[in-house]
Amino acid sequence: MSRHRSGAVQRRSKQVSAYNLLLPLVLGAAGCGGTARSEQEARPVAARVVTPVRETLRTEASYLGTLTSTQEATVVARTAGTLAELTHREGEEVREGELLAVVAAPENAARIQRAASDAHRLRTEADHACSDLERDRRLVESGALPEARLAQSEARCTAARSGLSAASAGVVELRRVDDKRRERAPFDGVVLDWLAEPGENLVPGRPILRVGGTSMEVRVAVVEQDLRRGVRVGAPVRLELADGRTVDARVSSMAPASRGPAHTVEVTVALSPEQTEGLPHGSSADVLFVLAEAADALTLPLEAIRGEDGNHRVYVVDDGVARQKDVRVVLESDGRAAVEGPLEESSQVIAGEVAGLVDGLPVYAVAQSVEKP
């Protein structure tokens, strides 16, 4: 009986030993299963890619401007009277010195007529007095008249001539004043506005009309914030004029100080006569101030650029793995950025989010496209 029990113990002891021998093999097999799962986890992940686009990128500030003359003048009444005539309508061209307006002042004509009559009378009197002087001179020389009589004749002739001179000067002055009833164009240009209507009573200094020169410019009220962003004299501007033409120009001048509750500064963009030919004064123009520009640059959508504060990077697909490339963002505009760095137009740049994206991550490119705004 004891021999039977001893045999059973020996068999159980052999089973335990066999189990202990098999345990490392089982654990090893389990370890092999873990390696398989790690290999599965290392499989490439999908990554949406874009390719860089070479283009010129700009940041702009958009405004609405007004086409105006670089030279303007307001013609005002220089004498009292009634506005009798405006010789040119608004929008009509005029030449320098051409008659623009006539003011009726009948009392001026009456004064001129009276002064001219007085001057004519004084001329007759002077002629008579000086003729008497010549006669008395001959008589004195012949001894027929005393010397004292000659002095009297000379005094009468001199006084008559002085009176005639004063009267003639008065007539000239009255006619000069009367000429102020006629207003003429100060320079070649166009009539911009009538500021008075025929039949209105005028006093000296009353505006009658405005005249603009042939050279024109666009005037824009720009907020101070955009001045700080880059609107300055010489800055490039793109204009879309009222007739649909697009014109490239530059800021020509700026007001020295802001004005109004909005703190705006008047900015002017000079244009040539050829650029504004056929356009009416006062017409509108869409104005795009180019604040910054990156010409012929490689650009990417912002979602493809990672990092901030000057430390930017992108990931490109290179031989089945993601490779980090450090880049410098030159300019951002409308969801895109111009970059400098080790990129080519054919580079496959990962855009959007990719879980666990690090340098060396196995990836494969999908939905490759060339994106351009």
Side-chain angles (χ1 to χ4, degrees):
M1 186 72 176
S2 59
R3 285 196 299 270
H4 177 74
R5 286 177 181 166
S6 177
V9 170
Q10 289 177 355
R11 285 195 300 272
R12 282 196 298 272
S13 179
K14 291 179 181 180
Q15 290 173 353
V16 171
S17 298
Y19 176 79
N20 291 334
L21 291 173
L22 290 174
L23 181 58
L25 297 177
V26 172
L27 293 176
C32 291
T35 301
R37 284 193 296 272
S38 296
E39 291 177 352
Q40 292 176 352
E41 291 173 357
R43 289 176 181 173
V45 297
R48 184 170 63 87
V49 297
V50 294
T51 55
V53 175
R54 187 168 293 281
E55 59 181 334
T56 296
L57 202 63
R58 300 183 179 92
T59 57
E60 301 171 328
S62 178
Y63 284 87
L64 185 66
T66 303
L67 194 65
T68 60
S69 296
T70 57
Q71 183 182 24
E72 292 185 5
T74 299
V75 176
V76 301
R78 294 177 294 163
T79 186
T82 302
L83 182 57
E85 182 183 7
L86 290 171
T87 60
H88 293 76
R89 295 194 171 276
E90 295 174 342
E92 290 185 354
E93 295 183 355
V94 295
R95 305 292 294 178
E96 182 178 355
E98 194 170 353
L99 185 65
L100 295 179
V102 178
V103 178
E107 62 279 10
N108 283 4
R111 283 196 293 267
I112 292 172
Q113 186 175 4
R114 287 194 298 270
S117 296
D118 290 343
H120 180 72
R121 175 179 55 78
L122 290 172
R123 182 179 297 279
T124 301
E125 291 177 358
D127 289 345
H128 182 69
C130 293
S131 178
D132 287 348
L133 173 61
E134 293 300 322
R135 182 199 63 196
D136 290 349
R137 229 184 234 120
R138 289 191 298 269
L139 291 173
V140 168
E141 290 174 357
S142 65
L145 284 177
E147 289 285 342
R149 182 68 177 270
L150 180 61
Q152 294 174 357
S153 296
E154 286 178 346
R156 286 195 297 271
C157 177
T158 300
R161 283 178 173 173
S162 295
L164 175 60
S165 178
S168 298
V171 172
V172 171
E173 177 62 19
L174 286 173
R175 284 175 175 164
R176 186 185 67 80
V177 171
D178 187 66
D179 190 58
K180 293 180 180 179
R181 298 187 303 109
R182 298 169 181 83
E183 303 298 344
R184 302 182 184 277
F187 43 73
D188 292 350
V190 62
V191 175
L192 300 180
D193 302 296
W194 282 9
L195 305 177
E197 295 289 338
E200 288 189 38
N201 292 325
L202 304 177
V203 295
R206 168 74 158 82
I208 299 175
L209 50 81
R210 284 195 315 125
V211 180
T214 54
S215 296
M216 291 196 284
E217 63 190 6
V218 174
R219 297 180 186 173
V220 193
V222 177
V223 297
E224 291 180 340
Q225 178 183 356
D226 284 335
L227 300 183
R228 292 190 293 269
R229 293 176 61 201
V231 177
R232 61 187 181 279
V233 174
V237 183
R238 175 159 292 181
L239 303 172
E240 186 172 333
L241 303 177
D243 60 359
R245 282 182 290 169
T246 299
V247 173
D248 290 324
R250 292 188 177 274
V251 174
S252 55
S253 65
M254 297 172 59
S258 59
R259 64 184 183 184
H263 296 287
T264 60
V265 171
E266 186 176 73
V267 175
T268 58
V269 180
L271 299 173
S272 68
E274 293 77 16
Q275 291 172 320
T276 59
E277 184 178 1
L279 291 173
H281 291 248
S283 59
S284 63
D286 292 326
V287 183
L288 285 177
F289 293 102
V290 179
L291 306 178
E293 181 179 86
D296 194 32
L298 285 179
T299 69
L300 290 167
L302 291 177
E303 62 177 341
I305 300 172
R306 301 156 207 280
E308 56 185 10
D309 298 331
N311 297 316
H312 295 101
R313 63 188 182 279
V314 298
Y315 288 92
V316 299
V317 178
D318 183 11
D319 198 21
V321 297
R323 292 300 182 194
Q324 178 180 315
K325 304 286 186 180
D326 293 330
V327 296
R328 186 173 76 89
V329 174
V330 178
L331 186 65
E332 294 182 16
S333 178
D334 295 330
R336 295 186 69 82
V339 298
E340 291 180 349
L343 292 178
E344 299 177 354
E345 293 183 49
S346 59
S347 296
Q348 294 181 318
V349 182
I350 297 175
E353 294 298 325
V354 174
L357 181 60
V358 293
D359 189 64
L361 178 70
V363 293
Y364 64 92
V366 295
Q368 180 176 348
S369 61
V370 175
E371 296 193 2
K372 188 173 182 179

